[in-house]
Amino acid sequence: MTKIAIILGSTRPGRNGEAVANWVYDIAKHRGDAEYELVDIAEYNLPHLDEAIPPSMGQYANAHTKAWAAKIASFDGYVFVTPEYNHSTSGALKNAIDFLYAEWNNKAAGFVSYGGAGGTRAVEHLRLIMGELQVADVRAQVALSLITDFVNYSQFAPASYHTAAVDTMLDQVVAWSKALSSLRRPVAA
């Protein structure tokens, strides 16, 4: 069965992303089209990129990189849950992405973002990064406003119409993940 990771892309204390990622996961796990898993980058304790050899070489030296590589390689597609910080994604998510290369290739990605402007600028940056990693990003995305989808900017209370947007985005991620499967080859972790 197709495996999709829902990647929680913030490590900030008190992060809003945890509630958002859990909400996406709750919607996803009731679908029967793929196997979904919530992946929290905070659990991998990745330092600022500390591999001496570029990720494109696939020669990882550190145990934390090898664990992260094995986890990411196990999926066919991804949903990135990202905050918007200073018109971009979080530094922690960018760092986690930068640790690897081949593990991302020929897979699909969707985005759920949150911020003052719905996090859309963070997603625009992630789309550029995904292109370099040979990841097909899907058109549908979910943009959550800190003003209208959170109470006092911190308690997650999404508008009901966002559920359909999550389903549309997941439909596309699963379809593209399946379509790209013939291009993927096993990655040595």
Side-chain angles (χ1 to χ4, degrees):
M1 181 171 269
T2 302
K3 291 182 65 179
I4 307 296
I6 298 167
I7 299 176
L8 173 48
S10 173
T11 58
R12 187 180 208 164
R15 60 194 171 167
N16 286 326
E18 192 165 3
V20 175
N22 282 318
W23 171 72
V24 173
Y25 179 63
D26 285 342
I27 294 168
K29 70 183 178 185
H30 290 98
R31 299 166 54 101
D33 58 350
E35 185 179 319
Y36 297 91
E37 183 178 334
L38 185 58
V39 177
D40 185 348
I41 63 173
E43 293 176 4
Y44 288 84
N45 296 311
L46 297 170
H48 192 70
L49 186 57
D50 65 346
E51 291 285 342
I53 298 173
S56 61
M57 302 299 291
Q59 299 174 14
Y60 307 130
N62 297 307
H64 55 263
T65 308
K66 291 175 184 176
W68 178 238
K71 178 54 72 177
I72 293 306
S74 73
F75 296 104
D76 302 300
Y78 312 97
V79 173
F80 291 95
V81 176
T82 182
E84 182 174 308
Y85 299 151
N86 301 314
H87 290 217
S88 191
T89 191
S90 71
L93 179 56
K94 176 67 166 78
N95 184 58
I97 291 168
D98 287 347
F99 260 91
L100 309 175
Y101 179 72
E103 294 79 5
W104 301 112
N105 295 173
N106 300 313
K107 298 179 182 180
F111 307 97
V112 177
S113 58
Y114 57 96
T120 57
R121 296 166 297 203
V123 170
E124 290 307 307
H125 284 185
L126 284 170
R127 288 183 189 281
L128 292 170
I129 296 163
M130 293 298 109
E132 180 61 23
L133 294 172
Q134 302 179 57
V135 174
D137 57 293
V138 302
R139 182 177 187 269
Q141 72 182 67
V142 182
L144 303 164
S145 169
L146 285 175
I147 299 165
T148 60
D149 294 306
F150 292 83
V151 176
N152 295 322
Y153 301 94
S154 60
Q155 182 184 350
F156 186 48
S160 60
Y161 64 85
H162 288 304
T163 301
V166 170
D167 275 322
T168 299
M169 181 266 305
L170 290 173
D171 288 344
Q172 292 179 8
V173 170
V174 170
W176 277 91
S177 295
K178 289 177 180 178
L180 292 167
S181 66
S182 65
L183 299 176
R184 289 191 289 276
R185 55 186 183 270
V187 176

